[in-house]
Amino acid sequence: MRLRCAKPGRGLYVLAWLYACGAVSVLVTVSCSISDAAPQDGASIEVHPARSVRVLLARDTERLVVSTSGRLRVRDQNGQELSDPLPPLRRAPILFGHSSPTSMVVGPHRITAEVIELIPAAGERIELLMPAGGDKEVMRRYPGFLRCLLKDDGTADIINVVDVEAYLRGVLRGEVPPNWHRETYRAQAIAARTYVLYEKGTVGRNRDWDVTSTARSQMYVGIDVETEKTKAARAVDATRGIVLTWQYPEGDHIFCTYYSAVCGGTTQDASFVGNAGSIPPLAGGVECDYCWRAPKGTYRWKPVTFPKKAVGRALARRYDDFASLGSVAEVEVTDRAPDHRARTIRVTGHKGKSAELPAEAFRLTIDPTGWTVKSTHFRIRDDGKAVTFTHGRGWGHGAGLCQWGAEGMARNGATAEQILGHYYPGARLAKVYE
Ligand SMILES: [Zn+2]
């Protein structure tokens, strides 16, 4: 299925949260064709407030390790300079200490403020030492600037304030393998752009950041100057400003464009994953004949066993309802989607009392990594003191676009529009800025 595309002059109204981050309807009269324009330079540190994204890089951290190639301006959130510019740093520690008022220390400099912004010179970027799985750490290069929110307990939250288009390059680097098809990259760029703008306009309005830099939102690994002309950069530039919208009664709005690694054959209704509401593009049930090429153990996964004690402990730690059940006697699926994906789980304690929760929440409570119970497409077998999840299909929540399915479609000749039209049925494309 092909997406319907808003044509110039048709008067498509898009609620564009990116403008002033408010409920402002913006008349969009530009074409949304995907172009092959040369990649634009994403190096500018001038971040337009309306198109900025706030990415949480680190939470409650006591220190940062920073490299810069040039001098670093230091200011508060009102643009007031807090000190002379810092000299170029080479893997220099920045420490947030217990003090009142809050302060941070860089070499001989102590800077006191609750919000400290570190701004690189034009054309320069900041590098931070970041976790890279296991015990590994790597220096990652971030466009835009850093905002440090200092707290009384001596820690800080670190936020990268970045232009949305530059941010998307770092998302594609984190989400899409380098050897994947150009059309997959483009489809992913549009889905990721829509997702981050939706988060900015909804949950982001009530907190200091819009998205995390992890798979909890979408993987963001910064940018690589040497590879700016790569597929990631080209896909972002070719789709610049293009988002997915749904025609709500009050007009066309962007929606929460969920996506996951491997749907396992059918997509999931997003209302069982988050609070984005139920609209046709997210209703699930989309047949996917394309993700069977996904890595072994993801399209279909082997049975995994959890002791009932471990299930009970994990649930009790997180939910009061489950803490009062006592030891777990039974774990069962009480509601399934038409494709048999589990939707609701009931846990019964040894005294006969029971409680229910959505299957996705259940899965990520007993296995927060999502690497063992890879999806909610399973059956549950009672093994006495343990439960075994059998007939496992897919990897991730399965709502919206299936990434391995998108790649399968692209290799079969589908365009980005066709891929998005398949996984978000009824959605349309709109260009919300040039
Ligand atoms: Zn799939």
Side-chain angles (χ1 to χ4, degrees):
M1 191 183 102
R2 202 177 165 81
L3 286 190
R4 288 173 296 147
C5 192
K7 291 288 186 297
R10 275 188 56 184
L12 165 70
Y13 282 87
V14 173
L15 183 63
W17 280 283
L18 59 164
Y19 288 101
C21 204
V24 181
S25 288
V26 177
L27 181 64
V28 177
T29 57
V30 294
S31 154
C32 60
S33 63
I34 295 174
S35 72
D36 280 310
Q40 298 177 3
D41 180 18
S44 169
I45 59 119
E46 294 304 325
V47 181
H48 191 289
R51 288 188 198 159
S52 68
V53 178
R54 301 164 304 161
V55 189
L56 181 67
L57 297 181
R59 197 164 204 177
D60 302 332
T61 190
E62 293 177 355
R63 71 198 291 268
L64 285 178
V65 174
V66 180
S67 289
T68 56
S69 48
R71 291 158 75 84
L72 210 51
R73 276 169 48 217
V74 182
R75 67 179 194 194
D76 67 14
Q77 74 271 36
N78 300 316
Q80 200 72 37
E81 302 290 332
L82 292 170
S83 77
D84 291 337
L86 299 174
L89 304 172
R90 189 169 172 80
R91 292 203 170 218
I94 291 183
L95 305 173
F96 306 100
H98 290 271
S99 60
S100 184
T102 54
S103 67
M104 74 177 209
V105 174
V106 192
H109 308 272
R110 176 181 288 274
I111 300 153
T112 301
E114 286 183 358
V115 178
I116 299 175
E117 294 186 343
L118 302 173
I119 321 275
E124 308 283 352
R125 290 188 181 85
I126 300 184
E127 290 182 355
L128 297 183
L129 191 64
M130 296 292 287
D135 296 334
K136 279 194 222 154
E137 290 183 314
V138 292
M139 292 302 283
R140 294 203 194 283
R141 191 177 296 226
Y142 294 100
F145 63 86
L146 296 185
R147 180 176 292 153
C148 308
L149 306 180
L150 282 67
K151 300 185 231 180
D152 292 337
D153 66 358
T155 67
D157 292 343
I158 311 301
I159 291 157
N160 182 202
V161 183
V162 55
D163 180 88
V164 64
E165 298 293 310
Y167 160 76
L168 288 169
R169 294 179 178 203
V171 171
L172 293 198
R173 287 185 73 220
E175 290 283 351
V176 189
N179 63 343
W180 276 20
H181 198 282
R182 183 188 73 171
E183 295 300 320
T184 315
Y185 266 87
R186 290 176 168 188
Q188 178 72 76
I190 293 169
R193 182 180 294 107
T194 313
Y195 178 84
V196 70
L197 294 176
Y198 180 86
E199 291 291 275
K200 175 179 165 131
T202 53
V203 290
R205 296 174 75 173
N206 300 314
R207 62 187 187 198
D208 296 318
W209 42 277
D210 301 310
V211 284
T212 71
S213 59
T214 68
R216 188 171 283 270
S217 299
Q218 34 193 15
M219 283 298 293
Y220 168 62
V221 296
I223 54 173
D224 183 343
V225 174
E226 280 68 43
T227 57
E228 288 243 24
K229 309 293 184 203
T230 59
K231 281 183 201 168
R234 288 180 190 282
V236 171
D237 290 338
T239 63
R240 183 177 171 82
I242 298 179
V243 295
L244 284 154
T245 69
W246 169 249
Q247 202 165 13
Y248 291 87
E250 63 273 27
D252 278 15
H253 294 187
I254 56 174
F255 58 93
C256 190
T257 43
Y258 289 105
Y259 58 86
S260 72
V262 183
C263 77
T266 325
T267 64
Q268 150 121 292
D269 182 340
S271 62
F272 291 92
V273 174
N275 304 318
S278 191
I279 54 172
L282 297 175
V286 171
E287 298 279 325
C288 177
D289 298 328
Y290 310 101
C291 59
W292 54 270
R293 283 205 192 102
K296 197 165 184 273
T298 59
Y299 182 67
R300 299 286 182 263
W301 40 273
K302 287 186 177 154
V304 288
T305 299
F306 276 68
K308 286 179 179 171
K309 258 188 187 172
V311 171
R313 254 200 318 266
L315 290 167
R317 257 200 307 266
R318 189 149 171 193
Y319 300 103
D320 290 344
D321 283 1
F322 289 86
S324 60
L325 297 185
S327 56
V328 170
E330 190 176 11
V331 183
E332 59 191 325
V333 177
T334 51
D335 182 28
R336 288 187 184 276
D339 70 340
H340 302 297
R341 186 188 288 271
R343 283 177 168 171
T344 310
I345 303 290
R346 178 159 60 211
V347 177
T348 305
H350 69 290
K351 291 176 188 160
K353 201 174 157 192
S354 64
E356 288 192 350
L357 83 168
E360 186 67 16
F362 171 82
R363 170 177 86 93
L364 293 175
T365 301
I366 65 165
D367 173 26
T369 66
W371 285 66
T372 306
V373 185
K374 291 195 174 70
S375 75
T376 52
H377 209 309
F378 53 61
R379 296 182 198 168
I380 299 177
R381 189 179 72 211
D382 195 313
D383 291 338
K385 288 189 173 177
V387 284
T388 298
F389 300 90
T390 67
H391 298 80
R393 290 178 172 210
W395 188 17
H397 56 61
L401 179 139
C402 167
Q403 290 175 306
W404 275 90
E407 175 63 5
M409 285 186 74
R411 288 186 194 179
N412 284 354
T415 63
E417 293 101 314
Q418 288 167 334
I419 292 168
L420 294 168
H422 181 74
Y423 290 108
Y424 302 107
R428 42 201 274 181
L429 292 176
K431 186 156 186 162
V432 288
Y433 52 79
E434 286 291 355

